[in-house]
């Protein structure tokens, strides 16, 4: 845990999307506290407050109920004991979840503190039941406190352990303690066994809830980390492909150059005129190698817009994001397709790696002598679901935010679009929705130079 298969179309922009994450985190400031959270953070917050609600439920369901069963100082003391136990349970749950998320070590000491407080409260309930005023109300109130704190103590303690045997041992131990302490509370073996079974059932249910909640939280974090890892692997795969292409182009020519240079040296030492011919051949091969390298790099940099659109739809769909693509790039100049293809790569990779989008719309249209590419997604509330900074940035403005890495993804796209007199606008258009619009002018079917 502490620790999307994308094709070549989205791999190259992995590094640029990483640079843009810092800027994008500020772009959703108006999206609301909950919308700004990523999916794992939302699940963690929900889980954490669910267990805090358990503490509230203990106070309301057990502590306040004592006032309806018995009055005076007994009800006050029982209520205060339940409040203290609920507070320790909430603290233990919080630290156990921090351990689950890898932020602290296993809270062993806190588990012992919870066990000690649980024992102290149950002993106090037994003392009050034995030496307090007589009456069914006192017995009912102390019995509820006795069984209730054991149930909540057992359920909360399981958050701090992982092995199944230890979970069974914890719940069984609390149930056994309930039976042992139930003799003075119940007054008979049958009454003690009833209390023990109640604690076993209630504690077991809360334990199962705790384990399942932790499992879901871990699974969500692992899925998120897996998506990030797959995106990084895609970048590494593209780098390897580029390295192989360069090796295929340069390796053979360099070997020939080395052999011909060695031959020229030998011929020159012997005073042979053929040495000049060999060096002329070396010169020719070197120039040919330069040309081939430029071709490889040009092919690496250039992007076919139709291929990028299809790749973006496939990658986003595989990641569970509904993607709609409209329009086509047929007939557009190569320079325009290459520049807009990079915009699609950048936006797609950022939605995958940094956003929390459920839907993404990509549209290409030609209007008024311009090609307009629009990429819109609803993941801006995740804090970094898109390129951009804390506000909409028009085509002529610089990226806002002076922090390192802020807006560098937008800056890179603007540089590419500037080569074809293109412009870029990016920013939130409404709560949780981010839109990126690239415009490239056309004149007579060719991009303006």
């Amino acid at each position: 845990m502490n620790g999307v298969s994308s094709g070549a179309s989205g791999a190259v922009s992995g590094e640029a999307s990483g640079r843009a994450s810092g800027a994008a985190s500020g772009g959703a400031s108006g999206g609301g506290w909950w919308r700004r959270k990523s999916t794992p953070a939302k699940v963690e917050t929900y889980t954490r407050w669910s267990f805090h609600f358990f503490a509230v439920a203990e106070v309301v369901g057990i502590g306040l109920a004592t006032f309806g069963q018995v009055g005076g100082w007994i009800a006050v003391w029982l209520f205060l004991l339940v409040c203290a136990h609920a507070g320790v349970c909430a603290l233990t749950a919080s630290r156990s979840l921090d351990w689950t998320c890898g932020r602290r070590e296993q809270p062993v000491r806190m588990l012992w503190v919870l066990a000690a407080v649980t024992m102290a409260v149950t002993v106090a309930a037994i003392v009050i039941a034995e030496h307090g005023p007589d009456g069914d109300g006192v017995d009912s109130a102390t019995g509820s406190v006795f069984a209730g704190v054991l149930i909540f103590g057992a359920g909360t303690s399981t958050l701090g352990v992982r092995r199944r045997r230890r979970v069974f041992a914890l719940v069984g131990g609390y149930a056994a303690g309930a039976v042992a302490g139930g003799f003075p509370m119940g007054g008979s073996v049958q009454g003690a066994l009833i209390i023990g079974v109640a604690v076993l059932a209630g504690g077991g249910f809360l334990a199962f809830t705790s384990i399942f909640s932790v499992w879901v939280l871990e699974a969500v974090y692992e899925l998120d980390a897996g998506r990030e890892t797959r995106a990084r692997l895609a970048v590494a795969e593209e780098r390897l492909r580029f390295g192989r292409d360069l090796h295929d182009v340069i390796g053979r020519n360099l070997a020939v150059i080395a052999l011909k240079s060695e031959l020229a040296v030998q011929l020159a030492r012997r005073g042979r005129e053929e040495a000049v011919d060999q060096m002329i051949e070396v010169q020719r091969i070197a120039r040919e190698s330069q040309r081939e390298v430029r071709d490889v790099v040009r092919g690496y940099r250039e992007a076919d817009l139709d291929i990028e659109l299809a790749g973006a739809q496939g990658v986003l769909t595989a990641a569970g994001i509904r993607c709609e693509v409209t329009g086509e790039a047929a007939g557009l100049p190569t320079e325009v397709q290459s520049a807009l293809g990079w915009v699609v790569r950048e936006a797609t990779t950022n939605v995958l790696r940094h956003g929390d989008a459920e839907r993404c719309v990509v549209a290409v249209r030609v209007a008024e002598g311009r090609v307009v590419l629009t990429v819109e997604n609803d993941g801006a509330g995740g804090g970094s679901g898109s390129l951009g900074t804390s506000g909409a940035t028009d085509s002529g403005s610089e990226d806002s935010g002076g922090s390192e890495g802020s807006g560098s993804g937008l800056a890179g796209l603007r540089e590419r679009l500037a080569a074809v007199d293109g412009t870029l606008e990016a920013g939130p258009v409404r709560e949780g929705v981010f839109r990126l619009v690239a415009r490239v002018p056309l004149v007579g079917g060719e991009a303006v130079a």
Side-chain angles (χ1 to χ4, degrees):
M1 175 181 57
N2 287 323
V4 187
S5 171
S6 63
S9 63
V12 185
S13 58
E15 290 183 338
S17 65
R19 296 193 302 268
S21 62
S25 62
S29 57
W33 170 77
W34 182 254
R35 290 285 298 177
R36 288 196 300 270
K37 287 182 174 291
S38 63
T39 297
K42 289 178 180 178
V43 175
E44 180 184 345
T45 302
Y46 173 80
T47 304
R48 190 178 297 273
W49 283 103
S50 295
F51 287 108
H52 289 170
F53 176 77
F54 283 172
V56 175
E58 181 179 1
V59 172
V60 174
I62 300 175
L64 291 180
T66 58
F67 288 97
Q69 297 169 329
V70 64
W73 64 270
I74 296 180
V76 173
W77 275 109
L78 290 175
F79 176 76
L80 292 177
L81 289 173
V82 172
C83 287
H85 185 266
V88 175
C89 285
L91 183 59
T92 303
S94 179
R95 294 192 176 182
S96 297
L97 289 175
D98 286 341
W99 169 57
T100 298
C101 298
R103 302 191 186 103
R104 64 166 66 240
E105 295 181 354
Q106 185 178 12
V108 178
R109 183 178 301 179
M110 200 64 213
L111 294 177
W112 282 109
V113 171
L114 175 60
V117 171
T118 303
M119 179 178 294
V121 173
T122 55
V123 169
I126 293 174
V127 170
I128 293 175
E130 288 294 305
H131 302 285
D134 295 331
D136 294 338
V138 175
D139 293 339
S140 177
T142 54
S144 298
V145 171
F146 176 83
V149 297
L150 286 173
I151 291 173
F152 281 98
T156 305
S157 297
T158 55
L159 281 171
V161 296
R162 286 294 175 272
R163 295 183 180 178
R164 187 180 306 174
R165 292 180 180 179
R166 293 182 179 179
V167 173
F168 290 156
L170 273 174
V171 176
Y174 275 92
V179 173
F183 285 108
M185 297 295 298
S188 64
V189 174
Q190 183 179 1
L193 290 176
I194 292 175
I195 295 176
V197 171
V199 171
L200 182 64
F205 174 76
L206 289 183
F208 172 79
T209 302
S210 301
I211 294 172
F212 182 76
S213 299
V214 168
W215 176 80
V216 171
L217 181 61
E218 289 179 340
V220 170
Y221 269 108
E222 286 176 0
L223 288 174
D224 188 67
R227 184 170 68 174
E228 176 73 15
T229 301
R230 284 191 290 271
R232 292 182 181 275
L233 288 175
V235 174
E237 182 180 355
E238 183 66 8
R239 286 175 176 171
L240 289 174
R241 185 196 67 80
F242 183 60
R244 288 193 300 267
D245 290 346
L246 282 180
H247 178 269
D248 293 340
V249 170
I250 297 178
R252 171 179 50 82
N253 290 346
L254 287 179
V256 175
I257 288 173
L259 288 174
K260 287 189 172 292
S261 299
E262 184 180 354
L263 178 58
V265 170
Q266 296 296 331
L267 292 173
R269 286 176 179 175
R270 298 175 186 177
R272 302 277 296 274
E273 295 181 358
E274 291 87 343
V276 177
D277 296 333
Q278 294 297 326
M279 291 309 299
I280 291 174
E281 183 67 12
V282 167
Q283 232 177 11
R284 186 192 66 79
I285 296 174
R287 288 173 181 169
E288 182 69 17
S289 298
Q290 286 181 322
R291 185 189 63 79
E292 291 180 353
V293 169
R294 282 195 295 268
D295 289 342
V296 171
V297 173
R298 187 180 300 112
Y300 182 74
R301 288 178 177 173
E302 291 180 354
D304 185 277
L305 186 53
D306 278 329
I307 294 177
E308 296 301 328
L309 292 173
Q313 186 174 30
V315 169
L316 292 175
T317 302
I321 301 172
R322 291 183 290 109
C323 181
E324 300 176 11
V325 177
T326 59
E328 58 182 20
L332 296 179
T334 303
E335 297 83 355
V336 174
Q337 291 200 41
S338 179
L340 294 180
W342 271 95
V343 175
V344 175
R345 288 183 184 180
E346 193 77 36
T348 301
T349 307
N350 276 273
V351 171
L352 285 173
R353 295 185 59 188
H354 306 295
D356 188 26
E358 296 180 357
R359 182 174 179 268
C360 182
V361 177
V362 184
V364 180
R365 60 187 176 89
V366 179
E368 299 178 355
R370 294 184 300 178
V371 182
V372 181
L373 170 68
T374 304
V375 182
E376 182 177 295
N377 73 88
D378 59 0
S384 55
S386 45
L387 294 168
T389 55
S390 58
T393 52
D394 60 26
S395 59
S397 62
E398 296 295 330
D399 295 325
S400 60
S403 59
E404 181 180 354
S406 178
S408 57
L410 284 175
L413 290 181
R414 286 201 180 96
E415 290 176 2
R416 295 182 182 276
L417 291 173
V420 290
D421 282 356
T423 61
L424 182 71
E425 297 177 6
V429 292
R430 55 185 180 275
E431 183 178 352
V433 177
F434 189 94
R435 179 184 296 164
L436 183 147
V437 181
R439 296 181 175 90
V440 177
L442 298 174
V443 175
E446 295 293 329
V448 177

